[in-house]
Amino acid sequence: MTGTPLLKVRDLSVGLETGGGIRPIISGIGFDLAPREILGIIGASGAGKTVLSRALVNWIDPPLKVTSGSVIYKSQNILDLPAQKLRTLRREIAYVGANPAGALDPTLPVGQQIVEKLRAIAPEVPHDEARKRVIDLLGAVRIPSPQMRYHEYPSQFSGGMMQRALIVDALVSNPAFLVADNVTQPLDVTVAAQVLRLMRELTTRFDTAIVFISSSLPLVSDAADQILVLAEGRVVERQVTKALVATPQHPYTRELISQIPKIWTSEAVAIDPPAQSREPIISILDATRSYRVRKRGTFASYSTVRAVRNVTFDVFPGENFGIVGESGCGKSTLMRLLSRLERPDSGHVLCDGQDIARLSGKGLLKFRRDFQLVLQDPFNSLPPRTAIGAIIEEPLKTHGIARGEQLRDRVLSVMHEVGLPGALYDELPLGLSAGQRQRVNVARAMVLEPKVLIMDETLSSLDQTEQFKLLKLFEQLQVQHGLTYVYISHDLAMVRRVCNRVAVMYLGEVVEIADNSRLFFDPGHPYTKALLSAVPTLEERRYKPEDCLLEGEPPSPIDLPPGCSFTSRCPNAFGRCHQQSPVLTARGGKDLAACFLVENTLTHAAA
Amino acid sequence: MSVTETDIPVIPVPTQRGASVARRIWRIALASNEFRVGAIIFTVLVLAALLYPELSGIDPTKMSVATRLHAPPFMGDKWSWTAPLGTDQIGRDMLVRSLVGLRYSLFIGLSTVVLMLIIGCSLGTVAGYYGGRVDMVIMRLTDAQLSIPMIILAITVLGVSRPTIPAIILVLGLSSWPVYARVTRSVVMTERKREYVRAAEIYGASDFRIMVRLLAPLVLPPIIFVSALDVARMMIFESILGFIGLGVQPPTPTFGNIIADGRKYLLNAWWIATMPGVFLCLCLTSINLMGASLERARNRIYGGKS
Amino acid sequence: MFVLSFLVRRLAQGALIVFLVTLLIFTLLRVVPGDPVRLMAGGMAPEALIEQIAKDMGLRDPILVQFGRYMGGVVRGDLGQSFVRPASGASTGGSSFGDSTRGERAEVLTLIGETLPMTLQLGGLAILFALVFSFLVGIPGGLAPGRWPDRVAFYISSIFISLPNFWLGIVLAMLLSVQLGWLPAIGYGGFAYTILPAIVLAVELAPVLIRTLTGSVAGVMMEPFIAVGNVRGLSRSRIIVAHALRNASVPLLNLIGIQISGLLGGVLVVEFIFDYPGLGLLTITAVLQRDFPLIQGIAIVTSAIFVFINIAVDLIATMIDPRLEY
């Protein structure tokens, strides 16, 4: 880049003070940031990205400690500045983090807090003007009705909305540079894509340089001019984005790029589709589930959240069935229906031809044995105060399958099978990594030798490398035990790799069911297209986000408007979509989509 | 915890392989000065209460005109080495009386807390686990109980009937369980939403099994720690009842009735009212120090979350 | 709108609670052995007369009938009349059963009305003392977890919680009033008489407040928005005052709501020791005299106070933290 750098980082090292000395987290980091540049920083979790991003804004608290180096902005080392001086600099140095929900005081209105910040760093701005500026900016980041939103509380904002508000918070003082640490991590892909687009626009408008930190190379490569690769606390490579992707120099970068799942460039399905002649192992027939929630601030009026609406599909033995959708689409409720944690209000869930809602006693226990679930959150899904061996034993004890030495042997063999060292048998889960915890979860499910395993976002909390290993494990288990998998996920790349058939959900409905390649190469529903357009990938995009998705977020599942639920975000919506709701329509083969355009094409073709 | 923290390594609590959680808490607490101080005072007091009255051969109820109103050594005109805390208005030995009082106090305090734990934790677990109507009924019941000061309830019952030891334990226990029910309920409610409970439901564990095998080991330790502090609280209530005249009845000495007696002689024999109080305070402080240190140790292991 | 529906809901719940309390106390008083008429009439009164009085007062009717009659009165605002106290004031002894006709006995409502303001004054002052002290000790403790202010808070609360209120009352009365003559202690002859009892109550109340405050301040200081506040350019004092304390005050408020009944219990003992003419003293004498209507009336009033204070506390908490919804 040209001209004098805005920010100079030299030999920056941060360590963790432990009882026995200082353990380095990042060491010898050095780079320059030019005005208006977007610098991406990429690395696996544990590489020290967050520590680096905090060091750049002088936010290093004990037990972390800056051990050497400088961060020079306008010829001052901000790591040495006294708190008072640093605070006046905060108007030029801004930070947005990965936790939008926690970044503001939950007890005060959002707008008021942004004004408070602006007036803390720029006291000369009068209150009225500050307020006006905040409202203007809230509008500029496309938060609908900013006048009203100004007075609302953080808990009333959705994740994507809150991240926009925090971008306003960062940009309100017109900073010279902005550190954006994993800003899109908690967001759904379609919302993340919008936020990313927004950040690029705003930096041009405000002349702000950005340090953009993420663990997802595709995301960073979408945003950044140059990319810096961080591995084990050191910079291993820095290149212009295109060059980095095309010709990675360092082995670590090469490995990183090789692990990024391909969507369109390779045939990635891992297993052959099973023979279709067999009976379905799971059939879900027109299942609907609603919840009643008390309306806020009312005495006795309730509104209905329709979490799952008229869902129908079959899963066949030996299949890998995928259910995809973004948060709030009803995936979790569907999981609860499939696993009989809840019963549908109407419709049926059949397993091996039996209605599971009617099961009880022995029949239910038998179903429980055959049908296991691996859950999403590696930290919540293990009882924190039970030893790992005991956790895995519990299902066996519950079913009275084995006792004594036999019990221990079975547990140890399952642990071995999922790649957990037997030495962990007596350990508490406290010290385990997320990947190891998920293996314990898999072991707890596998120990009952089930026929069906539902993977509810099982891999979403793991980094690429761990995901890769666990998927290998799942494949292996499937070959050995003839399992049927149902993957519930928001990660299209993962689904592309492992699933034969995929159902796409939006606001409680299945909008499309198709074979893997048909779904990715010839999607029938505009929402599927929008999802595909937002997938972070290094490949040439088949679908452009600009063409596939309107601004905005999904409507609330409470009191849905009539018509197709995707209308508000659909670029192809027309008159009929506002009045009627389309049903799943066959579009050749067994593939179905719920869109009037499909119907139209078919009728046109027939005519 | 914030998501931004993922990159910052968690400092692991030094773990001993296979050591149970309770033992680890115990070890950390034992290492703190506060706990040690409390434990030493408590042990000395309990040993003295168990041994001294019989070993010394002094009858706590024996009157003796000759030794009336003896002060503790060096603190008044009349004193003797045989009565290190002095004697009361009818010549009874204050040390023995206080120690016997401590026996009753501890016994009543402990039994009451056990009763409270049993009632409160079971009802709280059931309420938190099932929610809905069951929860409604149990919670309204605790609301009602919490809204009348337990001491009013206790003195009403004991004042109208006869205050015997079982009656005191029953009344104190039955009027204080709501706190336990509430705490248990709230912990069970949070834990119940966690995924490991869902996993257990899915592998077919019954509600009872989930409550006993999964939730109880999580929910009970923090509550048992709180209960150590409640032993002290119940001992105070026992002494209040005695003070008002609704505790264990004289001639059996209790802190309450000794202090109530001594109050009448406050001006010329200050030690009768104050000395048993010092004893009681010492004992309560020792229990509170131990209880609070255990609580702190637990928080250190679980990062402050219950 | 929100406030209105909240109030309606909570008042309905509160009415239920007061009803349950009344039922509980009413049943207890009738199930537990001990005949109030015997006490009223005196040990010498002939059995026939006692039966007669009991019948006249309706004490031999089935409990449900008695309860129905009583609730009928309560709904109309009539808490009945004291068994023992004459309308003039001082309580009557057992021997005067002949002349204590219904008309001359004191109204429960009047008795409570005379003593309640005294108790509210005492309780209010105690809460004030306790809050000021807890803030001074608890906030520094919460801001420096593990360091000396935290330890000071720990020790102070451990010791305070170990002081039995009646004993502390006696000792303080002896020291501050008898020995030093700084404060008046026994009876009531002006506002100064409230201070010493209030201090004793505050010592009883403070430890829990200190622990909660220390814990919640320390907890809030770990929240991400506090750490980010610094990076956003807010000063530390502003973060603490405007955000940390604001958030930490919610658990404190809830605690005060719960502690109210404990405080009323303490009031009882302290008023007894200092001979302070409030509701607590009235309760103890009522119990000792088996004055059923008075005990019932006091239970209703105290539970109503509890209900109202908790509604107020929750309302304030909702105003501070709009996420809370009761």
Side-chain angles (χ1 to χ4, degrees):
Chain A
M1 290 271 134
T2 53
T4 46
L6 182 72
L7 188 76
K8 283 190 282 192
V9 179
R10 293 290 175 269
D11 187 35
L12 180 64
S13 300
V14 177
L16 176 75
E17 272 185 299
T18 59
I22 294 182
R23 188 153 63 85
I25 304 291
I26 53 171
S27 27
I29 306 281
F31 63 84
D32 288 348
L33 180 70
R36 283 187 295 282
E37 183 186 4
I38 301 183
L39 174 69
I41 296 182
I42 172 101
S45 66
K49 298 187 305 288
T50 291
V51 172
L52 173 59
S53 72
R54 290 185 179 186
L56 294 181
V57 293
N58 190 7
W59 177 15
I60 295 294
D61 292 327
L64 291 173
K65 189 171 185 287
V66 177
T67 47
S68 74
S70 56
V71 175
I72 292 164
Y73 172 74
K74 283 196 181 160
S75 70
Q76 301 175 88
N77 181 2
I78 61 168
L79 297 180
D80 290 341
L81 283 182
Q84 193 59 43
K85 271 208 160 152
L86 186 64
R87 203 158 57 245
T88 52
L89 263 191
R90 294 280 183 208
R91 63 192 301 178
E92 292 166 55
I93 303 172
Y95 177 92
V96 185
N99 180 13
L104 290 182
D105 187 338
T107 66
L108 291 168
V110 171
Q112 188 183 326
Q113 293 191 63
I114 303 178
V115 168
E116 179 196 12
K117 171 209 155 132
L118 177 59
R119 299 199 5 104
I121 51 181
E124 75 282 358
V125 182
H127 191 276
D128 281 347
E129 198 193 311
R131 199 188 125 102
K132 204 177 148 297
R133 198 192 292 183
V134 170
I135 293 176
D136 284 351
L137 275 174
L138 286 175
V141 296
R142 298 194 199 92
I143 288 178
S145 46
Q147 288 275 6
M148 245 170 63
R149 284 287 178 177
Y150 177 93
H151 296 287
E152 283 184 8
Y153 294 88
S155 55
Q156 290 166 286
F157 278 57
S158 67
M161 202 83 91
M162 198 62 214
Q163 201 58 289
R164 286 160 202 256
L166 286 173
I167 291 171
V168 170
D169 183 77
L171 295 180
V172 71
S173 59
N174 226 336
F177 85 92
L178 167 71
V179 177
D181 178 19
N182 253 330
V183 279
T184 55
Q185 186 196 321
L187 306 179
D188 282 323
V189 276
T190 55
V191 178
Q194 292 169 1
V195 167
L196 209 64
R197 202 195 307 170
L198 177 79
M199 287 193 67
R200 275 196 310 256
E201 269 173 42
L202 288 180
T203 44
T204 9
R205 184 170 145 194
F206 287 96
D207 280 349
T208 308
I210 300 186
V211 178
F212 186 89
I213 293 153
S214 172
S215 51
S216 156
L217 180 57
L219 256 180
V220 175
S221 66
D222 264 355
D225 305 320
Q226 289 206 30
I227 295 181
L228 197 131
V229 183
L230 204 63
E232 283 162 24
R234 289 173 184 282
V235 177
V236 294
E237 183 164 0
R238 177 178 184 165
Q239 283 205 60
V240 171
T241 304
K242 279 225 172 74
L244 183 97
V245 173
T247 55
Q249 300 299 310
H250 194 272
Y252 175 78
T253 321
R254 278 203 290 273
E255 196 195 324
L256 198 70
I257 292 177
S258 75
Q259 277 175 3
I260 288 166
K262 306 276 189 294
I263 293 181
W264 290 289
T265 42
S266 69
E267 276 301 323
V269 180
I271 63 156
D272 300 322
Q276 286 292 326
S277 57
R278 280 183 282 177
E279 287 295 302
I281 190 162
I282 304 169
S283 300
I284 179 159
L285 298 172
D286 202 28
T288 295
R289 182 78 174 100
S290 312
Y291 301 98
R292 265 153 48 98
V293 288
R294 198 161 55 84
K295 272 191 194 154
R296 217 185 130 79
T298 58
F299 183 55
S301 58
Y302 289 85
S303 27
T304 310
V305 178
R306 299 169 67 198
V308 164
R309 299 187 285 157
N310 309 93
V311 167
T312 299
F313 59 77
D314 293 331
V315 179
F316 295 93
E319 203 174 23
N320 284 352
F321 190 79
I323 300 173
V324 298
E326 297 176 287
S327 49
C329 72
K331 285 177 306 197
S332 318
T333 307
L334 189 62
M335 179 276 286
R336 296 178 71 84
L337 294 181
L338 283 176
S339 54
R340 199 183 178 269
L341 289 175
E342 281 175 26
R343 295 170 218 205
D345 300 330
S346 66
H348 304 278
V349 181
L350 306 181
C351 184
D352 272 338
Q354 279 180 300
D355 188 340
I356 61 170
R358 297 223 187 88
L359 292 175
S360 65
K362 274 208 169 134
L364 183 60
L365 267 184
K366 171 81 176 61
F367 165 75
R368 293 279 183 231
R369 261 191 86 164
D370 289 345
F371 195 97
Q372 282 295 307
L373 186 65
V374 183
L375 294 154
Q376 167 178 21
D377 181 347
F379 291 90
N380 253 330
S381 51
L382 300 178
R385 277 156 237 191
T386 311
I388 287 158
I391 293 174
I392 304 172
E393 266 168 20
E394 266 298 306
L396 292 175
K397 284 187 180 160
T398 303
H399 289 264
I401 291 173
R403 49 187 83 245
E405 265 311 294
Q406 214 192 341
L407 198 66
R408 199 187 158 91
D409 288 346
R410 262 184 95 154
V411 170
L412 283 173
S413 82
V414 171
M415 284 174 72
H416 177 74
E417 206 172 5
V418 301
L420 286 169
L424 288 175
Y425 192 90
D426 289 318
E427 287 285 325
L428 291 178
L430 215 63
L432 298 191
S433 71
Q436 277 175 315
R437 280 165 173 267
Q438 286 307 48
R439 284 170 200 267
V440 177
N441 270 329
V442 174
R444 177 172 56 191
M446 284 303 295
V447 77
L448 287 174
E449 298 174 345
K451 291 187 198 155
V452 182
L453 261 189
I454 298 192
M455 302 293 192
D456 182 11
E457 299 275 11
T458 305
L459 301 174
S460 54
S461 54
L462 307 177
D463 62 36
Q464 286 294 341
T465 325
E466 265 304 321
Q467 276 197 17
F468 211 75
K469 286 188 203 151
L470 271 176
L471 281 176
K472 273 255 150 52
L473 171 69
F474 294 164
E475 279 162 29
Q476 208 180 314
L477 291 173
Q478 187 165 43
V479 173
Q480 275 162 13
H481 300 273
L483 288 167
T484 306
Y485 287 123
V486 176
Y487 287 94
I488 297 177
S489 179
H490 66 272
D491 181 355
L492 280 167
M494 196 272 284
V495 166
R496 168 73 176 143
R497 205 172 98 80
V498 295
C499 294
N500 317 106
R501 274 194 318 136
V502 184
V504 180
M505 288 189 76
Y506 186 75
L507 275 174
E509 284 178 314
V510 170
V511 295
E512 175 159 14
I513 300 179
D515 275 344
N516 187 323
S517 42
R518 179 91 188 261
L519 187 92
F520 284 89
F521 287 93
D522 176 25
H525 196 278
Y527 175 62
T528 313
K529 234 182 242 176
L531 267 181
L532 289 174
S533 76
V535 179
T537 170
L538 294 176
E539 300 161 57
E540 173 104 25
R541 290 187 179 281
R542 262 184 89 86
Y543 309 98
K544 296 256 177 298
E546 299 84 277
D547 308 335
C548 298
L549 186 62
L550 299 181
E551 282 291 341
E553 291 178 34
S556 143
I558 300 174
D559 308 321
L560 282 167
C564 173
S565 45
F566 190 58
T567 317
S568 59
R569 301 169 81 200
C570 182
N572 309 331
F574 57 99
R576 195 179 164 195
C577 302
H578 296 278
Q579 283 109 39
Q580 281 173 291
S581 193
V583 292
L584 280 174
T585 310
R587 48 191 284 265
K590 297 174 315 304
D591 303 330
L592 307 163
C595 181
F596 291 126
L597 291 173
V598 172
E599 270 179 44
N600 287 353
T601 345
L602 288 179
T603 30
H604 282 299
Chain B
M1 263 291 97
S2 83
V3 202
T4 40
E5 235 102 298
T6 45
D7 271 9
I8 295 179
V10 176
I11 312 161
V13 179
T15 57
Q16 204 100 27
R17 273 273 288 279
S20 81
V21 174
R23 205 176 298 162
R24 274 161 51 204
I25 292 179
W26 190 245
R27 221 172 270 152
I28 295 181
L30 211 60
S32 79
N33 284 332
E34 292 87 353
F35 187 87
R36 285 181 190 160
V37 171
I40 290 169
I41 300 176
F42 187 71
T43 316
V44 170
L45 284 174
V46 169
L47 282 179
L50 290 180
L51 302 176
Y52 182 78
E54 272 71 26
L55 285 184
S56 69
I58 300 170
D59 181 351
T61 57
K62 205 188 106 206
M63 302 177 230
S64 147
V65 185
T67 57
R68 274 186 78 229
L69 296 177
H70 274 195
F74 308 112
M75 293 196 172
D77 311 330
K78 283 196 301 179
W79 58 271
S80 79
W81 284 115
T82 51
L85 292 186
T87 60
D88 68 3
Q89 71 280 5
I90 46 176
R92 292 175 295 191
D93 183 275
M94 287 304 300
L95 180 58
V96 174
R97 283 177 71 72
S98 299
L99 287 173
V100 173
L102 184 60
R103 282 185 194 175
Y104 283 98
S105 193
L106 269 175
F107 175 74
I108 293 175
L110 277 171
S111 318
T112 307
V113 167
V114 170
L115 185 66
M116 285 159 68
L117 274 173
I118 294 171
I119 304 174
C121 292
S122 341
L123 286 178
T125 306
V126 169
Y129 190 85
Y130 290 106
R133 292 239 170 89
V134 182
D135 183 39
M136 249 281 284
V137 171
I138 295 178
M139 280 305 110
R140 284 297 91 79
L141 212 63
T142 65
D143 281 347
Q145 282 228 325
L146 282 172
S147 72
I148 9 174
M150 61 160 288
I151 199 83
I152 292 191
L153 210 63
I155 65 168
T156 307
V157 176
L158 294 175
V160 176
S161 74
R162 234 168 51 83
T164 59
I165 293 180
I168 293 170
I169 293 173
L170 209 64
V171 162
L172 287 182
L174 285 177
S175 52
S176 332
W177 61 268
V179 181
Y180 286 100
R182 284 212 166 172
V183 177
T184 315
R185 169 182 176 264
S186 71
V187 187
V188 168
M189 263 170 68
T190 4
E191 289 299 322
R192 202 209 178 306
K193 287 187 202 121
R194 293 197 199 267
E195 292 199 328
Y196 66 84
V197 175
R198 200 167 307 150
E201 286 178 88
I202 286 164
Y203 64 64
S206 63
D207 292 346
F208 183 74
R209 196 181 177 92
I210 293 176
M211 284 188 245
V212 171
R213 305 252 343 171
L214 286 173
L215 296 176
L218 274 167
V219 168
L220 292 186
I223 290 165
I224 287 172
F225 292 129
V226 179
S227 80
L229 301 170
D230 265 341
V231 173
R233 215 164 62 88
M234 288 303 135
M235 287 169 69
I236 293 187
F237 280 124
E238 186 271 337
S239 64
I240 289 176
L241 288 177
F243 181 75
I244 302 177
L246 298 175
V248 181
Q249 293 298 300
T252 307
T254 65
F255 285 121
N257 65 33
I258 301 173
I259 295 173
D261 275 352
R263 198 179 160 213
K264 300 168 199 146
Y265 301 90
L266 209 51
L267 290 181
N268 45 4
W270 54 268
W271 57 89
I272 306 180
T274 44
M275 278 307 174
V278 172
F279 244 81
L280 181 57
C281 289
L282 215 55
C283 183
L284 297 175
T285 311
S286 70
I287 296 175
N288 281 325
L289 281 176
M290 289 190 292
S293 311
L294 278 169
E295 197 176 30
R296 245 184 3 188
R298 187 190 63 83
N299 288 347
R300 238 181 78 186
I301 287 193
Y302 298 123
K305 286 185 185 154
S306 46
Chain C
M1 185 54 224
F2 164 69
V3 174
L4 202 69
S5 73
F6 169 86
L7 282 180
V8 170
R9 221 177 53 233
R10 289 300 300 266
L11 284 173
Q13 272 178 19
L16 180 69
I17 288 172
V18 175
F19 176 79
L20 283 175
V21 167
T22 319
L23 184 62
L24 187 74
I25 291 277
F26 198 89
T27 324
L28 266 181
L29 286 174
R30 270 135 192 99
V31 169
V32 166
D35 191 350
V37 186
R38 167 65 60 190
L39 197 83
M40 285 168 61
M44 296 287 117
E47 200 60 38
L49 179 66
I50 287 181
E51 275 310 302
Q52 185 57 45
I53 296 174
K55 245 206 179 101
D56 286 350
M57 297 175 69
L59 289 177
R60 293 296 181 265
D61 295 338
I63 291 180
L64 265 179
V65 175
Q66 292 186 42
F67 184 66
R69 193 161 51 221
Y70 181 68
M71 281 315 286
V74 170
V75 171
R76 289 194 305 271
D78 174 15
L79 293 180
Q81 290 148 332
S82 164
F83 277 175
V84 256
R85 284 167 185 257
S88 53
S91 103
T92 54
S95 57
S96 55
F97 64 85
D99 49 49
S100 82
T101 52
R102 276 187 75 86
E104 287 165 83
R105 280 188 263 117
E107 286 291 328
V108 168
L109 210 56
T110 323
L111 288 172
I112 293 175
E114 282 163 4
T115 47
L116 186 59
M118 298 296 294
T119 295
L120 290 181
Q121 176 179 330
L122 174 59
L125 195 64
I127 291 184
L128 183 71
F129 285 166
L131 276 179
V132 169
F133 185 74
S134 311
F135 271 80
L136 291 177
V137 175
I139 292 173
L143 291 177
R147 297 209 299 274
W148 68 264
D150 184 27
R151 236 170 261 147
V152 167
F154 182 82
Y155 274 107
I156 288 184
S157 60
S158 290
I159 291 171
F160 274 22
I161 208 168
S162 308
L163 297 170
N165 51 12
F166 65 97
W167 181 76
L168 183 70
I170 293 174
V171 172
L172 285 185
M174 192 167 80
L175 287 177
L176 298 183
S177 181
V178 179
Q179 299 279 335
L180 300 168
W182 287 354
L183 285 169
I186 308 297
Y188 187 80
F191 185 74
Y193 286 81
T194 318
I195 297 176
L196 200 49
I199 290 176
V200 174
L201 280 176
V203 169
E204 189 184 350
L205 202 57
V208 220
L209 297 186
I210 292 174
R211 288 229 170 120
T212 308
L213 201 56
T214 315
S216 59
V217 168
V220 173
M221 290 307 285
M222 308 256 287
E223 290 287 329
F225 67 84
I226 296 290
V228 176
N230 182 32
V231 178
R232 290 172 65 227
L234 305 183
S235 65
R236 184 172 161 85
S237 55
R238 175 149 197 116
I239 292 174
I240 290 172
V241 175
H243 299 291
L245 292 189
R246 187 184 167 87
N247 277 272
S249 62
V250 174
L252 192 71
L253 265 170
N254 286 328
L255 183 77
I256 291 177
I258 294 170
Q259 286 292 311
I260 287 298
S261 77
L263 179 74
L264 287 172
V267 163
L268 196 103
V269 178
V270 168
E271 289 186 359
F272 179 64
I273 296 163
F274 290 98
D275 203 24
Y276 183 91
L279 203 56
L281 195 59
L282 190 70
T283 314
I284 293 198
T285 39
V287 168
L288 295 178
Q289 295 173 328
R290 290 184 176 68
D291 194 345
F292 287 6
L294 193 49
I295 299 174
Q296 280 156 207
I298 291 170
I300 290 182
V301 169
T302 46
S303 60
I305 293 176
F306 178 85
V307 164
F308 278 121
I309 290 184
N310 273 285
I311 292 177
V313 157
D314 288 349
L315 207 57
I316 298 171
T318 334
M319 282 193 297
I320 294 177
D321 188 345
R323 285 172 305 170
L324 302 170
E325 197 190 340
Y326 293 96

